[in-house]
Amino acid sequence: MAAIVSRKFPGTRMHRMRHDDFSRRMMRESTLTVEDLILPVFIQEGDNRRDDIPSMPGVEQLSIDQLVQDAGEIVALGIPAIVLLPVIDADHKSELAEEAYNASGLIPRALRALKAAYPTLGLITDIALAPYTVHGQDGILDDQGCLLNDRTVETLTKQALSHAEAGADYVAPSNMMDGHIGAIRKILEAEGLPHTRIMSCSARYASYYDTPAFNTGSSPVDRASYQMDPANGDEALHEAAMDIDEGADAIMIKPGMPYLDVLYRVKQELRVPTFVYQVSGEYVMHRAAFTNGWLDEDTVILESLRCFKRAGADGIVTWFARQAAQALRA
């Protein structure tokens, strides 16, 4: 790193370059655009359904027809991609999560409908078993309740393949199983799907910032035995490097703002496409402050997203994507 030239007041006045709006914009080190935004969406079975989520004010669970309707607005705003998150009915959950790879299941049907209506919209799917298991863990358990890594990976590869065949542009494994990226890459290549990208959530922390999303059908269970310890940073570099070696095309950090240091280190040290997820807990903290008049809404939303760009994010998954896009285009 080059040495900083010694400068003294009043020869140097740092306020000079900040004095005018045009000057501040010219020297801005990182830029947030609509193209940086990715909108997560919850989808559910049924027709003409829009159900509020009590723990996430302003966010709805949509049936496929309503999501396709909303996709028109998303495309018009210039948001390049969405992440599909399933809300699975209890009667489709099981110990072995068979519904996760059902070719006629909720996610594959949503993918096909969206691709038919809006072929240029990027579609990313969450590769995880928690929405499909009766116990809410992100994998298959043995008789003692311990997670079976390799058995879980077998199911995850089937899930990823079913999504890729239905039109997913990216599959995004978020379960933190050892070896899952290599297994998914192998099956995608074997089945003639080499252009399906893998966005690996390599640094998925066992964080309670995700708690508000549990009201969408997942269970608030302890995942500390396979997700990362919030106290660790070096481990994230190890995980991300392994996933890249196994065939991941991009890395995801989740949650976002509490882990800006991890985001920065992954981008600086690995120099790969790096994304970040502003999770449900981050969303509701901001939303509560806005509702109570404690923070200015659009200003703080954009500031929070610019923090991710400053730290090195190439893209940001955020529940504020639509509002941020509108603010950026205003």
Side-chain angles (χ1 to χ4, degrees):
M1 184 176 177
I4 297 176
V5 177
S6 177
R7 296 177 176 179
K8 297 180 180 179
F9 178 86
T12 296
R13 290 180 180 267
M14 298 300 289
H15 290 186
R16 285 193 195 114
M17 292 296 285
R18 304 173 193 154
H19 183 70
D20 301 294
D21 178 67
F22 83 89
S23 185
R24 292 190 295 273
R25 288 187 284 120
M26 286 173 58
M27 63 180 281
R28 187 163 289 156
E29 297 173 23
S30 54
T31 303
L32 176 71
T33 71
V34 175
E35 286 72 27
D36 298 315
L37 305 175
I38 302 168
L39 177 68
V41 291
F42 285 119
I43 58 173
Q44 63 181 338
E45 294 287 1
D47 296 308
N48 197 32
R49 291 185 63 186
R50 287 179 174 270
D51 295 337
D52 293 333
I53 302 172
S55 60
M56 297 180 68
V59 177
E60 298 173 310
Q61 296 173 181
L62 305 175
S63 53
I64 293 174
D65 59 315
Q66 293 300 298
L67 175 57
V68 171
Q69 178 179 306
D70 280 16
E73 178 194 359
I74 294 166
V75 170
L77 285 170
I79 295 171
I82 61 175
V83 180
L84 302 180
L85 304 172
V87 180
I88 303 301
D89 294 338
D91 58 355
H92 285 148
K93 298 186 179 190
S94 66
E95 293 285 346
L96 300 179
E98 293 95 339
E99 184 65 19
Y101 53 88
N102 180 358
S104 299
L106 180 62
I107 292 294
R109 284 187 282 114
L111 287 166
R112 289 190 286 268
L114 286 163
K115 275 299 177 188
Y118 298 100
T120 63
L121 178 64
L123 302 180
I124 304 168
T125 62
D126 185 32
I127 303 302
L129 301 189
Y132 302 91
T133 57
V134 291
H135 43 68
Q137 290 287 359
D138 222 341
I140 295 169
L141 308 181
D142 65 16
D143 293 338
Q144 286 73 47
C146 295
L147 190 141
L148 298 169
N149 184 93
D150 297 1
R151 177 64 183 83
T152 297
V153 170
E154 292 176 15
T155 300
L156 293 171
T157 58
K158 295 177 183 179
Q159 183 185 30
L161 178 60
S162 71
H163 292 186
E165 289 177 335
D169 298 296
Y170 282 80
V171 291
S174 64
N175 48 82
M176 295 295 291
M177 295 300 109
D178 291 334
H180 64 310
I181 299 301
I184 291 170
R185 176 54 67 204
K186 182 178 179 180
I187 199 169
L188 292 175
E189 292 289 331
E191 296 297 324
L193 295 161
H195 299 299
T196 303
R197 282 135 286 187
I198 299 176
M199 181 186 292
S200 176
C201 193
S202 303
R204 172 73 184 275
Y205 284 86
S207 169
Y208 277 79
Y209 277 94
D210 252 339
T211 301
F214 293 148
N215 279 359
T216 62
S218 295
S219 302
V221 296
D222 185 0
R223 299 185 172 101
S225 67
Y226 51 95
Q227 293 181 356
M228 283 187 53
D229 185 337
N232 294 353
D234 292 345
E235 186 181 12
L237 273 295
H238 192 172
E239 289 276 8
M242 288 181 66
D243 286 354
I244 292 295
D245 285 344
E246 290 181 24
D249 301 288
I251 298 300
M252 173 79 77
I253 312 300
K254 182 179 182 180
M257 292 185 74
Y259 299 92
L260 288 175
D261 60 317
V262 176
L263 168 62
Y264 177 82
R265 290 182 64 191
V266 167
K267 186 61 178 178
Q268 288 295 309
E269 297 189 33
L270 298 182
R271 298 291 181 178
V272 296
T274 305
F275 294 78
V276 67
Y277 201 134
Q278 190 177 44
V279 299
S280 59
E282 300 172 69
Y283 169 82
V284 298
M285 288 192 300
H286 282 92
R287 181 61 65 200
F290 303 151
T291 300
N292 284 282
W294 299 332
L295 294 173
D296 180 74
E297 195 159 342
D298 285 351
T299 302
V300 171
I301 288 172
L302 295 183
E303 180 179 343
S304 73
L305 300 179
R306 288 186 175 111
C307 289
F308 295 127
K309 291 293 292 182
R310 188 191 68 236
D314 296 296
I316 306 159
V317 180
T318 174
W319 299 99
F320 290 120
R322 271 190 281 203
Q323 189 170 346
Q326 291 165 347
L328 288 167
R329 294 163 69 94

